[in-house]
Short mmCIF file of all heavy atoms in Angstrom, two decimals:
data_model
loop_
_atom_site.label_atom_id
_atom_site.label_comp_id
_atom_site.label_asym_id
_atom_site.label_seq_id
_atom_site.Cartn_x
_atom_site.Cartn_y
_atom_site.Cartn_z
N GLY A 235 253.69 71.60 108.47
CA GLY A 235 253.37 70.39 107.70
C GLY A 235 253.17 70.64 106.22
O GLY A 235 252.90 69.70 105.47
N GLN A 236 253.28 71.90 105.78
CA GLN A 236 253.09 72.22 104.36
C GLN A 236 254.41 72.66 103.76
O GLN A 236 255.27 73.18 104.47
CB GLN A 236 252.06 73.34 104.18
CG GLN A 236 250.72 73.06 104.83
CD GLN A 236 249.98 71.89 104.22
OE1 GLN A 236 250.16 71.58 103.04
NE2 GLN A 236 249.17 71.21 105.02
N ASP A 237 254.57 72.49 102.43
CA ASP A 237 255.84 72.88 101.82
C ASP A 237 255.71 74.10 100.93
O ASP A 237 256.67 74.49 100.27
CB ASP A 237 256.45 71.69 101.04
CG ASP A 237 255.52 71.19 99.96
OD1 ASP A 237 254.46 71.83 99.75
OD2 ASP A 237 255.84 70.17 99.35
N SER A 238 254.53 74.73 100.91
CA SER A 238 254.42 75.97 100.13
C SER A 238 253.32 76.84 100.72
O SER A 238 252.43 76.35 101.44
CB SER A 238 254.09 75.67 98.66
OG SER A 238 252.78 75.17 98.57
N VAL A 239 253.39 78.12 100.40
CA VAL A 239 252.36 79.07 100.84
C VAL A 239 251.01 78.65 100.25
O VAL A 239 249.98 78.66 100.94
CB VAL A 239 252.74 80.50 100.37
CG1 VAL A 239 251.57 81.45 100.48
CG2 VAL A 239 253.92 81.00 101.19
N GLN A 240 251.03 78.22 98.99
CA GLN A 240 249.78 77.81 98.34
C GLN A 240 249.11 76.67 99.11
O GLN A 240 247.90 76.68 99.34
CB GLN A 240 250.03 77.33 96.89
CG GLN A 240 250.29 78.45 95.91
CD GLN A 240 251.79 78.73 95.76
OE1 GLN A 240 252.56 78.62 96.72
NE2 GLN A 240 252.20 79.11 94.57
N SER A 241 249.92 75.67 99.50
CA SER A 241 249.29 74.52 100.18
C SER A 241 248.85 74.89 101.60
O SER A 241 247.87 74.34 102.11
CB SER A 241 250.18 73.28 100.16
OG SER A 241 251.45 73.59 100.62
N ALA A 242 249.53 75.85 102.23
CA ALA A 242 249.09 76.29 103.57
C ALA A 242 247.74 77.02 103.47
O ALA A 242 246.84 76.79 104.29
CB ALA A 242 250.14 77.21 104.20
N ILE A 243 247.60 77.86 102.47
CA ILE A 243 246.32 78.57 102.30
C ILE A 243 245.21 77.56 102.01
O ILE A 243 244.11 77.62 102.58
CB ILE A 243 246.41 79.63 101.17
CG1 ILE A 243 247.41 80.73 101.57
CG2 ILE A 243 245.05 80.24 100.88
CD1 ILE A 243 247.73 81.73 100.47
N LYS A 244 245.52 76.57 101.17
CA LYS A 244 244.53 75.53 100.84
C LYS A 244 244.18 74.73 102.10
O LYS A 244 243.02 74.36 102.31
CB LYS A 244 245.11 74.62 99.75
CG LYS A 244 244.18 73.54 99.25
CD LYS A 244 243.13 74.11 98.30
CE LYS A 244 242.31 73.06 97.58
NZ LYS A 244 241.47 72.24 98.43
N ALA A 245 245.19 74.46 102.95
CA ALA A 245 244.93 73.70 104.18
C ALA A 245 243.96 74.46 105.09
O ALA A 245 243.08 73.87 105.73
CB ALA A 245 246.24 73.43 104.91
N PHE A 246 244.11 75.79 105.14
CA PHE A 246 243.17 76.60 105.94
C PHE A 246 241.76 76.51 105.35
O PHE A 246 240.79 76.25 106.08
CB PHE A 246 243.64 78.06 105.99
CG PHE A 246 242.63 78.99 106.62
CD1 PHE A 246 242.24 78.84 107.95
CD2 PHE A 246 242.06 80.03 105.89
CE1 PHE A 246 241.30 79.70 108.54
CE2 PHE A 246 241.13 80.89 106.47
CZ PHE A 246 240.74 80.72 107.79
N VAL A 247 241.67 76.68 104.04
CA VAL A 247 240.34 76.61 103.38
C VAL A 247 239.69 75.25 103.67
O VAL A 247 238.52 75.17 104.08
CB VAL A 247 240.48 76.84 101.85
CG1 VAL A 247 239.17 76.56 101.12
CG2 VAL A 247 240.95 78.27 101.57
N ASP A 248 240.46 74.19 103.50
CA ASP A 248 239.91 72.84 103.71
C ASP A 248 239.51 72.62 105.17
O ASP A 248 238.48 72.00 105.45
CB ASP A 248 240.94 71.76 103.31
CG ASP A 248 241.17 71.75 101.80
OD1 ASP A 248 240.37 72.37 101.07
OD2 ASP A 248 242.17 71.14 101.37
N ALA A 249 240.33 73.13 106.10
CA ALA A 249 240.05 72.92 107.53
C ALA A 249 238.77 73.64 107.95
O ALA A 249 238.01 73.13 108.77
CB ALA A 249 241.24 73.38 108.37
N VAL A 250 238.53 74.83 107.40
CA VAL A 250 237.29 75.54 107.72
C VAL A 250 236.10 74.78 107.15
O VAL A 250 235.10 74.54 107.82
CB VAL A 250 237.32 76.99 107.17
CG1 VAL A 250 235.95 77.65 107.31
CG2 VAL A 250 238.38 77.81 107.89
N LYS A 251 236.24 74.37 105.91
CA LYS A 251 235.10 73.71 105.24
C LYS A 251 234.75 72.37 105.88
O LYS A 251 233.58 71.99 105.95
CB LYS A 251 235.39 73.55 103.74
CG LYS A 251 235.31 74.90 103.03
CD LYS A 251 235.46 74.80 101.56
CE LYS A 251 235.15 76.14 100.91
NZ LYS A 251 233.74 76.53 100.99
N SER A 252 235.77 71.68 106.37
CA SER A 252 235.51 70.36 106.98
C SER A 252 235.14 70.48 108.46
O SER A 252 234.77 69.50 109.10
CB SER A 252 236.75 69.48 106.85
OG SER A 252 237.78 70.02 107.67
N GLY A 253 235.28 71.70 109.02
CA GLY A 253 234.96 71.88 110.44
C GLY A 253 236.12 71.52 111.35
O GLY A 253 235.96 71.49 112.57
N GLU A 254 237.31 71.24 110.78
CA GLU A 254 238.47 70.91 111.64
C GLU A 254 239.05 72.15 112.32
O GLU A 254 239.77 72.05 113.30
CB GLU A 254 239.58 70.29 110.79
CG GLU A 254 239.38 68.83 110.48
CD GLU A 254 240.28 68.42 109.33
OE1 GLU A 254 241.48 68.75 109.35
OE2 GLU A 254 239.75 67.81 108.38
N TYR A 255 238.82 73.31 111.76
CA TYR A 255 239.26 74.57 112.35
C TYR A 255 238.07 75.52 112.37
O TYR A 255 237.35 75.58 111.38
CB TYR A 255 240.41 75.21 111.55
CG TYR A 255 240.76 76.59 112.09
CD1 TYR A 255 241.64 76.73 113.15
CD2 TYR A 255 240.15 77.72 111.56
CE1 TYR A 255 241.91 77.99 113.68
CE2 TYR A 255 240.41 78.98 112.08
CZ TYR A 255 241.29 79.10 113.13
OH TYR A 255 241.57 80.35 113.66
N PRO A 256 237.84 76.25 113.45
CA PRO A 256 238.59 76.26 114.70
C PRO A 256 238.11 75.17 115.67
O PRO A 256 236.97 74.73 115.59
CB PRO A 256 238.28 77.65 115.27
CG PRO A 256 236.91 77.97 114.76
CD PRO A 256 236.77 77.29 113.44
#
Side-chain angles (χ1 to χ4, degrees):
Q236 305 295 332
D237 58 6
S238 69
V239 166
Q240 285 93 326
S241 51
I243 295 172
K244 183 77 170 65
F246 172 62
V247 171
D248 292 346
V250 171
K251 288 185 171 291
S252 68
E254 280 163 48
Y255 174 85

